[in-house]
């Protein structure tokens, strides 16, 4: 049974930093893509960062230079967020997909993800 633990969200002021963590357990594939998404109140989910099977990573233009994605082990994904601003507020989710199915540049809806993400709130 697959289980994903996402943590690290908090309330910070503009300019603050946070580091999110995602650990997936029971996902028995030997390689897979992982990614970070976020959803702000009243907005659609948006891709934030992606880690491919070959080790390459990328982040969305809106967070480039401020967010860094890293994957120290196969089943662990981090998102280091610096210089946060109110537009970064939202629930952050992690996803994994052995088939790396990409939709609009990010892991698509068939990727494994759990409903409970981690809340990031940035106040001005």
């Amino acid at each position: 049974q697959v289980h994903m633990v996402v943590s690290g969200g908090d309330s910070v002021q503009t300019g603050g930093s946070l580091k999110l963590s995602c650990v997936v357990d029971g996902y028995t594939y030997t390689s897979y893509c992982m990614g970070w998404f976020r959803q702000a109140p009243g907005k659609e989910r948006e891709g934030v960062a992606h880690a491919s099977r070959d080790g390459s990573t990328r982040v969305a233009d809106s967070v480039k230079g401020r967010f860094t994605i890293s994957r120290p082990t196969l089943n662990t994904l981090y998102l280091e967020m610096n210089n946060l601003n109110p537009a970064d507020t939202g629930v952050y989710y992690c996803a994994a997909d052995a088939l790396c199915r990409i939709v609009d540049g990010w892991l698509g809806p068939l990727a494994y993800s759990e409903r409970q993400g981690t809340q990031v709130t940035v106040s001005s």
Side-chain angles (χ1 to χ4, degrees):
Q1 185 175 357
V2 183
H3 184 48
M4 187 177 273
V5 178
V6 182
S7 62
D10 204 345
S11 295
V12 297
Q13 293 189 327
T14 296
S17 298
L18 289 172
K19 185 174 182 178
L20 307 184
S21 171
C22 171
V23 180
V24 59
D25 184 35
Y27 203 68
T28 57
Y29 298 97
T30 56
S31 72
Y32 47 92
C33 295
M34 293 187 75
W36 287 101
F37 298 82
R38 67 185 180 188
Q39 187 163 20
K43 294 188 177 181
E44 293 189 358
R45 189 180 85 156
E46 65 170 330
V48 176
H50 180 83
S52 299
R53 280 185 291 208
D54 63 2
S56 61
T57 61
R58 55 185 169 87
V59 297
D61 288 343
S62 60
V63 304
K64 198 167 290 183
R66 301 187 298 119
F67 289 15
T68 303
I69 183 173
S70 61
R71 191 176 182 180
T73 66
L74 176 66
N75 69 332
T76 303
L77 192 69
Y78 295 132
L79 185 67
E80 188 166 358
M81 307 185 295
N82 297 310
N83 196 20
L84 287 160
N85 61 64
D88 298 316
T89 293
V91 180
Y92 284 68
Y93 302 91
C94 178
D97 189 359
L99 298 181
C100 300
R101 289 163 288 193
I102 301 297
V103 176
D104 294 331
W106 308 101
L107 287 178
L110 296 180
Y112 181 85
S113 186
E114 296 192 359
R115 291 189 177 186
Q116 186 169 355
T118 188
Q119 176 71 46
V120 173
T121 303
V122 186
S123 57
S124 57

